[in-house]
Amino acid sequence: MSEETAPIEQEQGELVLPTMQRMLSGVELKQLAKDGGFAVDEHTGDRMIQALQDIIDSLEARWSALEQFQQAPPMSTTATSRWVSDLMVRTATDERGLLTQLQQAKAELPAYIEAIKLAKANYQSQDGETGNTLSRMRVEA
């Protein structure tokens, strides 16, 4: 368990699980960038975008293989084998399943890339404004 999800012991000796923080959606991250609450320098932004694009490319390249998780794996015809096979498909495709999560990531990552592009523009704007302020301060001093 990470420190963020590890139980916390209170004074009375009872364990309390911390609440999980929800990740921002691509739409929320884009709005944060539009509002100026998210800025990133050119180099860091480019590296972030490349990493996300690599994930998208990897998912695209492997998607047909990943989709095989939607099919019941070939097993014997015993009741136990059929049950395990069906369980594997349900586990891969339910709301928390591997395929479901990968589909959501595949759909969300392009919005993250757009948000980072906006954040890079914010950084340039903020950096320029900071430079102008510092220049004015030097002139006034």
Side-chain angles (χ1 to χ4, degrees):
M1 260 185 227
S2 72
E3 288 182 26
E4 296 168 350
T5 59
I8 300 169
E9 188 170 346
Q10 292 187 332
E11 289 181 26
Q12 296 84 10
E14 60 184 83
L15 294 178
V16 177
L17 291 175
T19 58
M20 299 292 288
Q21 291 189 3
R22 185 182 68 77
M23 295 190 49
L24 293 176
S25 72
V27 170
E28 292 168 318
L29 194 61
K30 281 172 62 174
Q31 189 60 51
L32 186 63
K34 282 180 186 175
D35 295 343
F38 172 43
V40 64
D41 69 87
E42 185 86 16
H43 177 71
T44 303
D46 288 344
R47 291 182 64 199
M48 293 167 71
I49 289 169
Q50 186 59 55
L52 293 172
Q53 190 59 54
D54 288 348
I55 294 169
I56 292 169
D57 294 346
S58 179
L59 285 172
E60 291 292 337
R62 293 172 175 80
W63 198 251
S64 62
L66 290 168
E67 285 182 315
Q68 292 177 12
F69 286 112
Q70 294 176 351
Q71 310 300 318
M75 297 181 136
S76 71
T77 58
T78 67
T80 302
S81 294
R82 288 193 312 269
W83 179 81
V84 168
S85 180
D86 290 343
L87 180 64
M88 290 171 72
V89 171
R90 284 194 314 271
T91 301
T93 58
D94 68 9
E95 71 274 353
R96 293 176 47 191
L98 173 67
L99 278 180
T100 306
Q101 296 301 311
L102 290 176
Q103 285 171 331
Q104 289 174 353
K106 195 171 139 184
E108 202 70 23
L109 291 175
Y112 275 63
I113 290 172
E114 290 301 314
I116 293 167
K117 289 177 181 176
L118 288 169
K120 284 175 28 177
N122 286 344
Y123 182 85
Q124 291 171 351
S125 173
Q126 290 174 4
D127 192 43
E129 289 173 18
T130 301
N132 290 338
T133 300
L134 291 173
S135 294
R136 280 193 303 255
M137 291 173 73
R138 274 187 243 150
V139 171
E140 293 172 5

